[in-house]
Amino acid sequence: YDWAYLPYEARTDALLVALPEFPNCELTVNIVGSGEVGCGLLLVGEDVELGYSEWGLSLGRKNFSTFQEVRGRTKVVKGTSARKMDTKVWVPAIGRAKFERLLKEVKDTACLWIGEDGPGYETTCVYGIYRDYTLVLSTVEEDLLNLQVEGFP
């Protein structure tokens, strides 16, 4: 019954995947609420499933604030921050060449990287680029993709 007694906390992220595809369709998004509401980023596009994330996905934020020494005192110049994610993804070994090509194609392209797409896992989404990856040939059937993603502020 926590939902009935805890203070209300507004959602800051929403993830809707597997929307049906229709030719020449129109997508309408209404954002309503009391007070000030808005949308910082709305992405619509094709999704490509790489595989499934292994438990132990690491999430964090990169801080862009700077610290300056001014006459013996530290001054903080506030900056923004961005999400980052390190994950291990099990990918089918039969698609190894396809994944290599795909990662090469999106090397410098902003993408939405979804660590887990279930309800309550919106924080595992990072909009940015991958910084690094390694593909470990683990078993005959599956490879382990170690992926580091850095988001945009």
Side-chain angles (χ1 to χ4, degrees), residues 61-120:
R61 288 192 100 49
K62 186 172 183 177
N63 184 356
F64 293 101
S65 296
T66 58
F67 305 93
Q68 299 172 344
E69 284 289 323
V70 179
R71 291 190 277 280
R73 292 191 170 187
T74 303
K75 180 181 177 186
V76 178
V77 178
K78 290 186 179 181
T80 188
S81 66
R83 287 182 178 165
K84 62 181 184 174
M85 172 176 60
D86 289 348
T87 186
K88 294 178 179 1
V89 180
W90 288 100
V91 298
I94 196 165
R96 184 180 304 133
K98 173 185 145 190
F99 293 118
E100 281 276 286
R101 278 193 309 277
L102 175 67
L103 291 171
K104 184 178 178 183
E105 286 174 16
V106 300
K107 180 175 72 74
D108 298 318
T109 304
C111 298
L112 179 64
W113 301 88
I114 303 172
E116 179 62 46
D117 67 358

Side-chain angles (χ1 to χ4, degrees), residues 18-96:
L19 296 174
E21 296 179 30
F22 297 105
N24 302 319
C25 73
E26 182 177 307
L27 177 67
T28 303
V29 178
N30 294 315
I31 302 172
V32 296
S34 60
E36 189 176 323
V37 296
C39 177
L41 179 66
L42 175 66
L43 297 173
V44 178
E46 180 183 0
D47 66 332
V48 177
E49 187 172 325
L50 294 178
Y52 60 93
S53 294
E54 188 175 79
W55 279 105
L57 178 139
S58 298
L59 297 169
R61 288 192 100 49
K62 186 172 183 177
N63 184 356
F64 293 101
S65 296
T66 58
F67 305 93
Q68 299 172 344
E69 284 289 323
V70 179
R71 291 190 277 280
R73 292 191 170 187
T74 303
K75 180 181 177 186
V76 178
V77 178
K78 290 186 179 181
T80 188
S81 66
R83 287 182 178 165
K84 62 181 184 174
M85 172 176 60
D86 289 348
T87 186
K88 294 178 179 1
V89 180
W90 288 100
V91 298
I94 196 165
R96 184 180 304 133

